[in-house]
Amino acid sequence: MIVTTSQAQERARTARKNNDGPRRRELIRAAGVCFAELGYDRTTVEVITSRADVSRATFYAYFSSRDEMFHAVADEVCEEFLESQHVEGPASEDLREVLRTTTKAFVEAVYANGRVLELIEHRARLDPEVGRTWSAVQTRLIRRYTRFIERINESCDVVPCASPARIAQTLADAQLAGAARLVDATPRERRRYTSDVTAISERLIGFI
């Protein structure tokens, strides 16, 4: 089999992607800042390489295009949202505290990634790959939230106002949209929203 230069380059990029080394992560972080500040159309390969202080050759050693780079940024953001639902250690046994901790982590993930999240939601309607990624992460978030609320119903003295699935969907939608509106808010306003949405979550789930 004859391997062309472009095929060899693509194999090398794939190997670097799977390795996920520090240089690749630095490029993704720099690109995320660019997309957040400038939007999708104004963020070019040149802009990203300038921000990351690397050459175009270095960029193309890891990514084949701006689209592929955006996919990587979207993957990082989605992973951060999924990670926000994860609590380990003794604290994981106190379900009310887990609810407070994960709600705060999720809302803060929206604060941190709100502008890129807006782009992800927009690109999801235009780019099938981004659409599949965003749809999959939303589905996983809701399923996890539903299972968690079911666990609360089984283990705690609660009076839920609706089914676990309905509560999970309602709270996830509210937290996502509500926190996104406060991307440019003051730290005090953000803290107040986090406190309020946590209290609302506890009430809907049925904690007395």
Side-chain angles (χ1 to χ4, degrees):
M1 179 179 67
I2 299 175
V3 179
T4 66
T5 301
S6 60
Q7 288 174 326
Q9 290 172 335
E10 188 57 38
R11 288 183 180 181
R13 270 194 294 266
T14 300
R16 293 187 187 97
K17 177 180 178 180
N18 293 337
N19 186 46
D20 194 29
R23 176 55 63 85
R24 183 175 184 273
R25 291 196 297 274
E26 289 171 6
L27 278 166
I28 292 173
R29 282 195 294 269
V33 172
C34 294
F35 284 121
E37 292 181 352
L38 303 175
Y40 187 82
D41 292 335
R42 293 171 59 198
T43 298
T44 63
V45 171
E46 288 77 12
V47 167
I48 295 170
T49 55
S50 177
R51 171 73 65 146
D53 194 24
V54 299
S55 67
R56 287 173 60 89
T58 298
F59 177 94
Y60 286 113
Y62 291 89
F63 300 96
S64 62
S65 65
R66 175 184 62 173
D67 283 351
E68 186 179 0
M69 170 61 86
F70 186 78
H71 296 161
V73 171
D75 287 344
E76 290 278 314
V77 171
C78 289
E79 185 60 33
E80 186 171 341
F81 283 129
L82 291 172
E83 184 62 26
S84 71
Q85 290 184 320
H86 188 61
V87 176
E88 293 183 339
S92 64
E93 300 305 315
D94 184 341
L95 298 186
R96 190 166 193 167
E97 186 59 33
V98 171
L99 175 65
R100 292 170 175 170
T101 300
T102 55
T103 298
K104 182 175 184 288
F106 184 84
V107 169
E108 289 184 346
V110 179
Y111 292 156
N113 299 287
R115 295 196 182 282
V116 174
L117 178 59
E118 183 179 349
L119 289 180
I120 291 172
E121 292 179 324
H122 176 70
R123 294 297 302 173
R125 297 189 289 270
L126 304 174
D127 183 327
E129 183 172 341
V130 177
R132 286 190 295 271
T133 297
W134 183 232
S135 177
V137 77
Q138 287 178 300
T139 298
R140 290 179 66 185
L141 286 168
I142 297 303
R143 285 177 178 172
R144 284 182 177 182
Y145 209 168
T146 300
R147 289 196 298 269
F148 177 59
I149 295 173
E150 289 172 343
R151 184 181 169 197
I152 290 174
N153 287 353
E154 294 169 358
S155 307
C156 302
D157 182 17
V158 295
V159 183
C161 67
S163 70
R166 179 66 67 187
I167 294 172
Q169 185 71 64
T170 299
L171 289 176
D173 289 346
Q175 291 167 15
L176 194 62
R181 286 195 294 270
L182 295 175
V183 169
D184 294 322
T186 65
R188 182 178 181 181
E189 289 174 312
R190 289 182 175 186
R191 288 193 297 271
R192 177 61 183 270
Y193 176 77
T194 301
S195 176
D196 287 346
V197 79
T198 300
I200 291 169
S201 299
E202 292 181 350
R203 183 64 61 87
L204 289 181
I205 289 172
F207 280 107
I208 306 302

